[in-house]
Structure formats: structure tokens, C-alpha cells
Amino acid sequence: MSTSPSLPNAAQYDGPSVRVGALVPLSRPGWVEAGEQLAAGLALGVREVNEAGGIGGQPLELVIRDTAADPRRAVAAVDELAGLGVAAVAGEYHSVVARAAAGRADALGLPFLCSSSVLDALTEQPTKWVARLPPPQSRGWRVYADFLLGAGHDRIAVATQPSVYWASGTRILRDHLAARGGTVSEIDMSALTPETVCQELVRSGATALLLLLGHPDPAVPVVRAVRGDRRLAGLLIGAPAGQPEFAEWAALLGGDGAGIPFLRYLPERLTALGARVGAALRAEPAVEPSFVAYEGYDTVAVLAEALRHGGADRARTAAAWSRVAVEGTRGRIGFSRVPDSNVWQWAGAPIQVVDRDPAQPGRFRVLHTG
């Protein structure tokens, strides 16, 4: 099911709107809480652009489509949005969905700004149409591997499911750790129960288990099983993909969900803009904003700047990626061509390894930065 287009403060404008599409997971099996955070940041950004005069005197209109984490549904949404005449498309949270959307946008000649997905191979070939805000997976997961080594963990087990994203993460970790004397062993969750995972961990001698798993299932049952096994009392559980960031994780696991390091894309301190945006997000929808909400707001800030260069001309908007320079919630944002990337990339995206404080699970501790 698709959400309806939104057009804040349209009454103050006489001209037609500049429409942008947004791809967001708002239903299962998508990660709904992440989708809601992304949508909240996008909506706040659009409202503030319009309060400041819109795009060259025209209101910015956000047209959201629910992907439900389905790549085929995302491709169909890109086709639909292109037919509606949107000037650009943004989103998504799930990496395999973003990759499908980016590929379709590239084929159609439609500017696409990736808000919150990190898979390195976002497109099959170099493209001028696609830009990305978050760091590529290879950069973030190497930072995570450095954290593990610094904490004394060089024998790592990964509980994983079949997925391009999880396979890519496993390869990044294995290559980075192997070069420094570490090892990574895989536990295939498609063939095991949470209880048999514990047996495999005892046999492996691993000192850390990384959850390369869907949320809430099977990630939550695996955490419960490992936490309840006395033989694994000293085992570190990690979740580089960021599952513990969200309130649902804490609600489902309570104290068992604390002390599990994950990646998030925030700086040590938000910018002055970020502090103001955070306060606005907390007021509406009255939920503590995750880094995904800030990514949503920054997405609109970047799109608004690109659209001021390109207007309704999609090619001119895409050509503006290299000229974008805006103050975001997490730092100054600009795009460049970085090695091994086919898309325009914000090279300065911040990276942290964070966990929930076991003494106060509602509080986050920064363990490592990269």
C-alpha cells in the first residue's frame, strides 16, 4: 500500500509543486521502525524547505511509496514516480532494495539520492544519476572490524542468512581481519535453531558473535539463547547492521539487548542545525530520533540544493551532485567520486561504533569512531 502525497503549506504558493519521490519501508517484512524514522526526517525537511520559500518560489512536494523491503516493488515505484513527473527520487533503508531502485533510476535517467543504504555495489556501472549519503559498507564494516581487534577479539563467528548484503559484510570482515591475523567462521541460520547456534559457538572457540540477521527474527531469539547459555557468558554479541539502534530492539530484549555494539552514522556532536532538528523530531512524532531520521532530513537538504540548480530538468539536477555544498545535521555535505564506487559519494559521512549501556539501556555509549 502506498502513502498519499504530502504537500505542507501549499496555500502560500500559487505555482505548481516540485515533486520528489521517496522510497521507504513502511510495512513488513520491511524494517518498519527504520522506515518511519526515515519518513519523519524527510517530512520535516520538506516542511522547512517550504517554510523558507520552497524551490525557486515553488513548493516542494514529497510523494512517499512503501517498498515493504521488496526490490521488485521498489522498481515498480520508481517507474510510477517517473511517470508522475517527479524531479528526483530518494530513499531507501534496505540495501538490496536501494540497489534495485538505483539501477532502475539510472536506466530511466532519473536522479536518485540514496538516503540510508550502504551496499558498495549500488549500481552495476558508473552513473551520473545516483548519489549516496551514508558511507559504503566496506568503509563502515572495516571500522567495526578495527573496533573488534582493538577490544581483543580476533576469533569471530557470524550468524548469517542468505543475502547479498550479509554476504558482502562477511567478506569485508573476513578480508580485513585475516590481514591482521584474525579469523571469521560462518554459522548458517537457515540450517540451525538459536539453541544449536550456541552449541556451534562453544565448539568454535569464538570470542565474539556478530548478528548478520533479520530483525526481529531470527536476531532476537538468537540473542536470548546466547544470553541464557552460561557457557557463553564471556561472549561479545555484535550487530554491525544497527539493529540495537531502534526502540523495538530495547522493548523486545530489555537488558539482554544492551552491550551489543553496532554501527551508526552520527558525529561526536551534531551541528547546530542537527541539534535543532533533533529537538523538532523529538516533538513530532515524539520519538527519540535515530541516525536514520537525520539521514532523512539531510536527504531533503541535499535534494533542495540540487533542485535549485536543476529545477525540473533531471539532467541538470543530476549534474549538480558535484556542486552541492550544504550544511547538514551531521556536518558539511558534498559529493565526490571515491575509489571503487560507481556513484557520487559523501566521503565525509561520520561513523561510530555504539552500544546501549548495560547499566542504563536507554543510553548509548560511543565505543569507537572511524
Side-chain angles (χ1 to χ4, degrees), residues 299-318:
T299 293
V300 174
V302 168
L303 279 178
E305 180 69 9
L307 290 167
R308 290 183 184 111
H309 285 284
D313 188 310
R314 292 172 176 173
R316 288 175 58 193
T317 296

Side-chain angles (χ1 to χ4, degrees), residues 118-150:
V118 299
L119 195 65
D120 281 47
L122 195 57
T123 58
E124 294 293 331
Q125 58 192 9
T127 175
K128 68 179 183 180
W129 298 102
V130 180
R132 172 164 54 192
L133 278 173
Q137 187 181 18
S138 55
R139 180 176 164 228
W141 287 47
R142 285 179 189 135
V143 169
Y144 194 90
D146 287 338
F147 157 73
L148 292 173
L149 291 168

